[in-house]
Structures are given as C-alpha cells and as structure tokens.
Amino acid sequence: SATGCLGAQPSSMPSLAPSYSQPPTSSPTYPAPTRTTPPPPSPSTSWQSEDQCGGAMRLVGAGTKATITRGSFTNNRGADGGALCVLDGAEVELVDSTLQSNAAFGPGGDNNGTGGALYVGGAGSTATVSGTTVLESNSAHGGGAIAAHDGASVSLLGATVSNNVAAAGGGGGLLVTTGASASADSESALVANR
C-alpha cells in the first residue's frame, strides 16, 4: 500500500509553494526532494505534507520514472496532487491501482490546490493511467482527480475517473491547462465528476 509518504518533506520544512487564487496556467516551482528517513510507522505518526506537491509521492526531473502496479493511495493530502505529484520531466505509470479520497488543499491550506489525486506539471512530465485503475472521490479547487499543467501529458487507458469534485476551478475529473495535453481511449470512463 502506498498510503504513506515517499519523497515528501516533514511538515516542519518551510513552504516554498506558490500562492494563487485561480488554478495556475503553468507549473509552480517546488523544491527538489531531499533524502530523509521517515519515522517508523505508528498509529499516531502522520508523514503527509499538506504544504508540498504530492501528499504521498513526488517524482521530480527528467529520467525519474515510477511504475505502480496494484497500488492504493487513500486519504492523502497535498498542496497540489493530493496523492501523487509528477514534475519537470518525470514519468509515472499507474496500472490496476486505486486513488481514492485524496485532496489537494493548495499551499498553506488556502483551498486553491489542483489535482486531488494526481498533479502532472512541466514539459515532458507524463502520467499513464491504465488497466482497471480507479480514481474516485478525490477533491481539489480545480481538477478534482487529475490536473495537467505547463507541457505535461496525461493518458487514460481503460481507467475509471468517477465521483471527483472540483470546488471552483473546473475539471471535476480532469483539468488540462494551456500547453498540457490529455487523451483517453474508448475503454476509459469519466463518470459523475463535478
């Protein structure tokens, strides 16, 4: 299960995330992740960072790739990309996975976050969501499930995107801004997003 946090900063780190009132038309600049050793898991320990991009996992830079098969991302919180954040040429492939009940709150919790489950930003950044992957009940200001910005691309191949909410910024299931792209095959379903 990928409900813990891989690559996020401890909450004591200062926020370097930008502040904005509308969904951005370009990718915000986030600091590169540093290598840290997370504390041992315990019921009282939270290793999620609401002030960083990617509440559970952040991938940064060209050549950075991750394939997640049968993963589960649930109840994560982040500034943008409540569960996953893919930046600056990084690539992620989600296969037969579940992203459910994640939320993007925006920097400092200002409720302007995008990509409730998945944020993809920056030229060359890609996300491929395939197989029986389900993105459900995620929320953000814009792009309730997925947000793609600034030259990024998202491909849905047999994925289901349902019951996600964009509070005010549009794209209940998927938000694609200027310079970004998205595609979905005939096996994908975007249902009951708002």
Side-chain angles (χ1 to χ4, degrees):
S1 174
T3 56
C5 188
L6 305 174
Q9 307 298 317
S11 61
S12 64
M13 296 293 293
S15 174
L16 298 177
S19 175
Y20 46 84
S21 60
Q22 295 295 320
T25 57
S26 65
S27 296
T29 302
Y30 291 96
T34 57
R35 292 194 180 267
T36 59
T37 302
S42 75
S44 63
T45 300
S46 174
W47 191 248
Q48 299 175 5
S49 176
E50 293 182 9
D51 288 332
Q52 296 292 325
C53 186
M57 177 183 269
R58 178 172 51 176
L59 305 171
V60 181
T64 303
K65 297 179 183 182
T67 299
I68 300 162
T69 304
R70 292 182 299 283
S72 177
F73 294 83
T74 305
N75 295 320
N76 295 288
R77 306 287 180 261
D80 289 307
L84 298 167
C85 183
V86 182
L87 298 172
D88 303 328
E91 301 173 33
V92 68
E93 182 177 5
L94 296 163
V95 182
D96 301 331
S97 296
T98 301
L99 290 88
Q100 186 173 31
S101 301
N102 299 288
F105 288 111
D110 67 6
N111 293 321
N112 286 323
T114 59
L118 174 61
Y119 178 95
V120 188
S125 296
T126 63
T128 303
V129 183
S130 65
T132 58
T133 297
V134 174
L135 291 94
E136 183 176 50
S137 301
N138 300 288
S139 62
H141 177 78
I146 303 169
H149 297 288
D150 197 28
S153 67
V154 174
S155 298
L156 301 177
L157 306 171
T160 300
V161 180
S162 65
N163 297 305
N164 299 285
V165 176
L174 176 63
L175 173 68
V176 181
T177 62
T178 305
S181 65
S183 64
D185 68 3
S186 62
E187 300 299 314
S188 294
L190 283 87
V191 179
N193 298 289
R194 54 194 182 282

